[in-house]
Amino acid sequence: HVIRWAKQIAKRPAVQRGRMVNRTWGDKGPQLAERHSAADIAVTGRVIVTELSGSESSAHFEVNGRPWVSLAHGVHPFQLGEEHTFYMDPSHGFIFAGEAA
């Protein structure tokens, strides 16, 4: 009975989503790294430079030829030149103009 119950629980959408969030190993298909809210915006770009600073990972990446920077808690294995999807909380983003007005 316990195995049947565990299989039923595993089929629930919330459980399946929970297994994807912050998973940064294995097959990239079922990963949803660093997404904390349904309001987060997915941004996909090509990784240019990566940095580790203590327990945080930085990734400099390009989206449509424009530079972006991501700072994420934890150590993340970003690979140079790879396409990666980053998740951004719009309330925590900063935009810098390239030229003074």
Side-chain angles (χ1 to χ4, degrees), residues 45-77:
R46 185 178 59 85
V47 177
I48 302 168
V49 175
T50 64
E51 303 173 64
L52 291 177
S53 178
S55 63
E56 294 181 321
S57 298
S58 295
H60 297 248
F61 61 104
E62 281 186 340
V63 178
N64 298 323
R66 298 199 178 261
W68 289 60
V69 178
S70 168
L71 177 63
H73 298 292
V75 176
H76 300 276

Side-chain angles (χ1 to χ4, degrees), residues 6-71:
K7 287 180 181 179
Q8 286 177 329
I9 297 289
K11 290 180 184 178
R12 292 181 180 175
V15 172
Q16 292 174 359
R17 178 177 162 76
R19 287 184 176 158
M20 292 175 10
V21 174
N22 293 326
R23 180 177 176 191
T24 58
W25 66 92
D27 182 15
K28 291 185 183 261
Q31 294 180 11
L32 189 57
E34 290 300 318
R35 186 164 188 173
H36 299 286
S37 165
D40 289 355
I41 297 170
V43 179
T44 300
R46 185 178 59 85
V47 177
I48 302 168
V49 175
T50 64
E51 303 173 64
L52 291 177
S53 178
S55 63
E56 294 181 321
S57 298
S58 295
H60 297 248
F61 61 104
E62 281 186 340
V63 178
N64 298 323
R66 298 199 178 261
W68 289 60
V69 178
S70 168
L71 177 63

